[in-house]
Amino acid sequence: MTRAARRLAKSLRARISDERVLEAIAAVPRERFVRADLIDDAYEDRALPNAHGQTISQPTVVALMCEALELQPDDRVLDVGLGSGYHAAVLAHLCAHVYGIERDRRLATAAVGVLADCGIDNVTVAAGDGRDGWPEHAPFQAINVAAAARHRIPEALEEQLAPGGRLIAPLADGVEERLTLVRRTQEGLERTTLGAVRFVPLR
Ligand code: SAH
C-alpha cells in the first residue's frame, strides 16, 4: 500500500466501523478507475472528475453507503450509475454479484475493461436507464444508486427490492441532497434519511 492509500485507510477507520467495508476499500486499486491525469489524487478522499463530465465517488461516501446497505456474502446487488466502476468494485468484494447499469455507453464499456483488469469477475454491466432497474435480474437484496434522484426514488427500483432488501440513494429536494435508506420490511417500505452529500443528477 502506498503512503496515500495508508492515509486514506486511516481516515476511513475514524468514520467506518464495519471491518468488511474497510477491507473492501483497501482491496480496490482506485488508481485504476480514475482519469490518467488524476492518478496522483487517486487516494485523496474526494470525488474526482472523469472523462465524460461525470465523477468517481468519494471513498468515504462509498464506504458509508456500503456500510448502510448491510451487505451479506450471498446478496445480489444492483448498482445504478456505474460510472467508472469503482463503487461496483467495492460492492463486488462484499456480495455475491453486482449488476451495474450506466446510461453513458462509453463509461459502461470502459468500466467493463477496468473491472476485468482488476480480476473482478462478479459484476455484470449494461448500458441503459437505471431508473427502470433491471427486471430480468430482480429482486435484489440491495440497490445502490450513485446519482441524485429529485424528490422521489424511482418506483421501479423500490419494486425490485427483495423482502428485507435495502436501497440507498441520494435524494435531492431542490435545496440539498441527502442519502436516503429504504428497507423493505413485512409492513412495507421504511425510509430513513442519513447525511447530506453531493452527487451528479440521475437523468
Ligand atoms: N459509482 C460511480 C459514480 C458515478 S457518478 C463511480 O464509482 O465511479 C453517477 C453516474 O450515474 C454517472 O456516470 C452518470 O452517467 C450515471 N447516471 C445518471 N443517470 C443515470 C441513469 N438514469 N441510469 C444510469 N446511469 C445514470
Side-chain angles (χ1 to χ4, degrees):
M1 222 190 241
T2 61
R3 243 173 77 194
R6 271 202 304 275
R7 196 174 56 219
L8 174 63
K10 196 171 159 206
S11 82
L12 282 171
R13 199 161 272 286
R15 295 186 62 184
I16 307 294
S17 53
D18 188 333
E19 283 297 328
R20 288 187 67 229
V21 171
L22 292 169
E23 277 165 26
I25 297 265
V28 175
R30 193 169 184 248
E31 75 272 10
R32 304 247 192 137
F33 295 86
V34 305
R35 216 168 67 192
D37 59 319
L38 294 173
I39 276 192
D40 288 346
D41 295 333
Y43 292 94
E44 295 299 322
D45 193 16
R46 54 189 170 87
L48 295 171
N50 71 18
H52 301 289
Q54 301 297 329
T55 53
I56 161 168
S57 303
Q58 179 186 353
T60 292
V61 174
V62 170
L64 285 169
M65 291 172 79
C66 287
E67 189 170 55
L69 284 176
E70 296 173 23
L71 298 168
Q72 304 300 314
D74 290 342
D75 285 353
R76 295 161 63 257
V77 179
L78 177 68
D79 183 34
V80 175
L82 177 80
S84 68
Y86 172 68
H87 203 148
V90 176
L91 291 166
H93 277 275
L94 293 163
C95 71
H97 203 94
V98 178
Y99 296 88
I101 309 187
E102 168 56 50
R103 71 193 295 275
D104 185 327
R105 185 170 292 279
R106 297 164 302 177
L107 285 173
T109 303
V112 168
V114 177
L115 290 164
D117 284 350
C118 292
I120 296 171
D121 60 5
N122 58 337
V123 181
T124 305
V125 173
D129 188 348
R131 290 174 296 190
D132 301 331
W134 198 335
E136 292 82 353
H137 296 292
F140 303 98
Q141 283 73 42
I143 300 181
N144 183 67
V145 185
R150 276 185 82 83
H151 303 297
R152 61 160 299 134
I153 292 163
E155 216 165 295
L157 295 180
E158 293 185 338
E159 279 168 8
Q160 290 173 30
L161 265 186
R166 293 83 54 203
L167 175 155
I168 192 154
L171 205 55
D173 63 7
V175 180
E176 60 173 7
E177 289 158 31
R178 286 191 164 269
L179 281 178
T180 302
L181 182 68
V182 182
R183 186 185 296 271
R184 183 179 288 289
T185 69
Q186 279 174 348
E187 285 78 47
L189 295 173
E190 182 188 282
R191 294 188 171 78
T192 320
T193 302
L194 310 174
V197 283
R198 307 244 351 130
F199 274 88
V200 302
L202 184 70
R203 292 177 293 148

